[in-house]
Amino acid sequence: MERLVKIRNKRHLTQKQVAEGVGLTTIAIQNYEAGRRKPAYDVLIALANFFDVPMDYLLGRGIFSNWETIMEKDNLALVISGIEAHVPELKKYDL
């Protein structure tokens, strides 16, 4: 999971700190980061909660795939355009 490595490094956390924060072993985090294993649904929830990001960010999909950019720029227009791109019928409401 590329995103897991990226967000962990950006927040200056060790694999051990993340593992302890979500109740896993360091080896489990290493396996997820290296792509040797895929986290179960409940682990994804725990990781998303730990980092305070949407699960879709960790998975690199959907409107939240660029979550870091949205949060860094604090750009509401970017959020709205991302949502509109996935839900075209919202464009008629002039958000």
Side-chain angles (χ1 to χ4, degrees):
M1 289 185 72
E2 249 178 68
R3 301 273 174 123
L4 181 56
V5 177
K6 187 175 182 178
I7 197 166
R8 180 179 61 75
N9 287 334
K10 185 172 184 171
R11 298 198 182 175
H12 307 289
L13 296 169
T14 65
Q15 291 174 332
K16 182 179 180 180
Q17 289 170 314
V18 173
E20 289 173 353
V22 296
L24 297 172
T25 64
T26 303
I27 291 172
I29 300 298
Q30 291 170 351
N31 285 332
Y32 300 147
E33 289 187 356
R36 289 186 293 265
R37 297 224 171 206
K38 294 182 181 184
Y41 184 73
D42 59 326
V43 173
L44 279 173
I45 292 171
L47 288 167
N49 287 341
F50 179 79
F51 287 111
D52 195 26
V53 297
M55 279 194 328
D56 276 351
Y57 168 76
L58 292 175
L59 297 170
R61 42 175 284 158
I63 60 173
F64 297 112
S65 62
N66 60 350
W67 186 255
E68 286 181 325
T69 303
I70 292 168
M71 296 311 289
E72 284 174 8
K73 294 180 179 178
D74 196 23
N75 188 343
L76 185 57
L78 182 60
V79 174
I80 292 170
S81 69
I83 292 170
E84 287 177 343
H86 287 80
V87 188
E89 57 271 9
L90 289 178
K91 289 182 182 181
K92 66 182 176 185
Y93 293 105
D94 191 31
L95 301 173

